[in-house]
Amino acid sequence: MTTIHNDVELDGKYLGKITSDFLKVCDTIKEASQQIRERGFSDYPIFPICPQLQPIGSLLFERGRQGNEWNYYMTYVDEFVQRTLIEDEANFKKVYKNPEEFCCLFVIDAKFTNFIFVPYPED
C-alpha cells in the first residue's frame, strides 16, 4: 500500500529527470488542474505519472506525445482514497501544496513510488 510517507529518498538526478519531463507538459497540466478545481470536481487534483500504462486516473498525455518520457494521468484525491492508496485523507490535505503554484504528481516507477509536489514554472 502506498502512502504519502515513503522512506525511499528521491535523489537529485532522478528528480531532475522527472521535472525536465514535466516541463514539456506543464502548461496543459496546470490548465487541467484549474478546470478540475473550477468545475468543483476536487480541490486536490493529482497527476499520476508512469513510464508504462497504469489504471489510476484518466490518460492526459501518452508517452512520447510531446517528447515526454512519462505517461501523464489526471485524477483527484477521492480516487486515491477509494483505492486505499491514501490512508489518512485529512493528513494528505494538510500537506497538499497550493495547486496554483505546485503540481501534485504521483510517481509510479520501479525506483520510486510516491507523491511529489513540483512547482509550475513562473511565466
Side-chain angles (χ1 to χ4, degrees):
M1 180 179 313
T2 304
T3 64
I4 59 173
H5 301 290
N6 190 331
D7 292 335
V8 177
E9 190 171 316
L10 185 61
D11 75 45
K13 187 174 181 180
Y14 189 65
L15 180 59
K17 180 180 175 182
I18 292 169
T19 56
S20 66
D21 197 66
F22 173 74
L23 289 174
K24 298 171 185 172
V25 297
C26 66
D27 291 338
T28 302
I29 288 178
K30 188 172 186 180
E31 177 64 29
S33 174
Q34 290 170 336
Q35 290 298 316
I36 288 168
R37 290 178 282 117
E38 286 174 7
R39 294 181 181 188
F41 293 116
S42 179
D43 290 333
Y44 304 92
I46 300 171
F47 296 89
I49 66 170
C50 185
Q52 296 82 27
L53 296 176
Q54 56 81 32
I56 303 170
S58 300
L59 185 62
L60 184 60
F61 279 107
E62 191 170 2
R63 183 179 181 173
R65 183 171 161 197
Q66 290 191 297
N68 49 305
E69 296 180 30
W70 297 79
N71 291 302
Y72 289 81
Y73 298 81
M74 62 180 177
T75 189
Y76 29 90
V77 70
D78 294 348
E79 182 175 0
F80 277 75
V81 171
Q82 289 169 2
R83 291 178 177 264
T84 64
L85 295 169
I86 293 176
E87 293 174 345
D88 185 345
E89 184 177 356
N91 186 50
F92 178 81
K93 289 178 176 181
K94 280 188 217 172
V95 299
Y96 191 92
K97 294 187 179 190
N98 180 347
E100 289 293 321
E101 297 176 22
F102 292 88
C103 178
C104 178
L105 296 178
F106 182 67
V107 180
I108 305 166
D109 195 19
K111 294 180 183 178
F112 181 84
T113 300
N114 207 343
F115 295 95
I116 62 170
F117 292 90
V118 179
Y120 290 109
E122 295 183 22
D123 295 330

